[in-house]
Amino acid sequence: PSPRSCQPDGTNEEALRCEIEELRQKDLALDQEIAQLLSDGYSLEELEKHISLLHEYNDIKDAGQMLLGKLAVIRGVTTKQLYPEYDLELSD
């Protein structure tokens, strides 16, 4: 997304208009991205499944990070220090 193209003049009404315009622009950009993916041969079902799997992955990763954090507190070390013990990369 591009930087804010609309600068509200300080009124709530103008701020809402700017927010609505920004949301319209985002909606248009997403529609264009979806159209591009469809033209590249992806199906809506495939894209929805991929998004669902990404959400599931992120939930699992968040749970793992939380557990590593709790374990690090119990052991009195940093989370980063636990990564080699569990064969994790810092980019994981």
Side-chain angles (χ1 to χ4, degrees), residues 26-59:
K26 286 181 184 179
D27 185 47
L28 179 62
L30 288 172
D31 285 345
Q32 291 171 343
E33 188 174 344
I34 289 169
Q36 180 62 47
L37 289 168
L38 292 173
S39 73
D40 289 345
Y42 294 97
S43 70
L44 285 177
E45 295 81 18
E46 184 179 10
L47 294 172
E48 289 170 1
K49 179 66 175 173
H50 185 74
I51 290 169
S52 176
L53 289 172
L54 284 172
H55 284 296
E56 184 177 349
Y57 167 80
N58 285 329
D59 290 343

Side-chain angles (χ1 to χ4, degrees), residues 1 3 5 7 13 27 29 32 42 60 62 64 80 86 89 92:
S5 57
Q7 299 298 321
E13 188 174 329
D27 185 47
Q32 291 171 343
Y42 294 97
I60 292 168
D62 290 345
K80 182 179 178 181
Y86 295 98
E89 299 291 325
D92 286 342

